[in-house]
Amino acid sequence: YVQEAVERALPSSSSSSSPNRHIFWAWEMSNDRIVAMARAAHVAGLAYLDETSKLSFHPTYGAWFSLRALVVLDIPGLGGSPPPTPSSSLLLLSGESLELGIAFERALAVSSFDLKELRGDRDTNDVDGDADSDSRLPDDSWHEWVALRDVAQIGKSYRFDNDQIRYHYTKQKSLLCDLVARLQQS
């Protein structure tokens, strides 16, 4: 859906009057296609990238928005100064930066075993002394990542609904099937 919507919003690349364009998708992971979307949003002035939590905060939506694509057009720049980047002092309340750091460390701690495995850092013979331990994240560990987003008050009214959050963090296709069935019944 996102890919179709973005491509529809852009002029056709086949037209001779259209500028060359390059679309980088957040889900692309090859070395020549990967883009630090949060950093790009920060540099473009779209959002503030909090270095402690690694979250982007939009002035309206807070942490409750998604970065799916970066579109680069081959056109002359506008000149002048780059857009101002939103400031943490305008977006985060007193004490939220410290709370974000604590919440990030907590979320990282429940995910660290799985992250080591994904990176290939984990020795398969060393499972913290428990040979029968499951290498997957506990079913509810994603709640810590949601709790991290919930720290900041900005954008709270735009918080994703619980079904969207659950799908975002678990990628359970059965959840999507259940939601579609629910919609069809209503």
Side-chain angles (χ1 to χ4, degrees):
Y1 169 79
V2 170
Q3 193 167 348
E4 289 174 12
V6 169
E7 289 176 353
R8 259 194 328 265
L10 296 171
S12 170
S13 61
S14 60
S15 168
S16 61
S17 63
S18 294
N20 288 334
R21 68 179 193 196
H22 304 280
I23 305 172
F24 296 88
W25 302 102
W27 55 84
E28 293 180 307
M29 291 294 143
S30 63
N31 286 342
D32 63 333
R33 301 292 302 164
I34 196 166
V35 171
M37 294 290 179
R39 177 72 55 204
H42 181 82
V43 170
L46 174 68
Y48 165 71
L49 175 59
D50 178 63
E51 296 293 343
T52 303
S53 66
K54 314 302 184 228
L55 288 177
S56 292
F57 292 95
H58 184 273
T60 302
Y61 306 112
W64 298 104
F65 73 110
S66 301
L67 300 166
R68 298 289 182 238
L70 172 69
V71 178
V72 179
L73 300 173
D74 187 14
I75 58 175
L78 299 174
S81 300
T85 301
S87 163
S88 66
S89 63
L90 299 176
L91 300 178
L92 300 175
L93 299 175
S94 176
E96 284 183 342
S97 290
L98 178 61
E99 288 180 56
L100 284 167
I102 293 167
F104 177 76
E105 291 301 322
R106 192 170 37 248
L108 193 60
V110 299
S111 305
S112 63
F113 181 80
D114 192 54
L115 292 173
K116 285 181 182 178
E117 184 175 300
L118 287 173
R119 288 192 312 254
D121 294 345
R122 185 174 71 85
D123 179 353
T124 55
N125 296 321
D126 178 22
V127 188
D128 295 328
D130 184 4
D132 294 326
S133 119
D134 186 1
S135 65
R136 301 187 66 199
L137 283 173
D139 288 339
D140 62 350
S141 65
W142 59 270
H143 291 278
E144 294 296 340
W145 293 104
V146 177
L148 171 63
R149 284 183 179 219
D150 279 337
V151 167
Q153 294 304 304
I154 188 163
K156 279 276 192 180
S157 62
Y158 295 97
R159 187 181 194 272
F160 302 159
D161 72 30
N162 290 334
D163 289 330
Q164 183 178 358
I165 290 171
R166 189 166 150 219
Y167 178 74
H168 176 83
Y169 285 99
T170 67
K171 303 295 188 253
Q172 292 176 346
K173 290 183 182 176
S174 61
L175 176 62
L176 291 180
C177 293
D178 292 346
L179 293 171
V180 168
R182 233 188 296 161
L183 284 173
Q184 290 173 340
Q185 290 174 357
S186 56

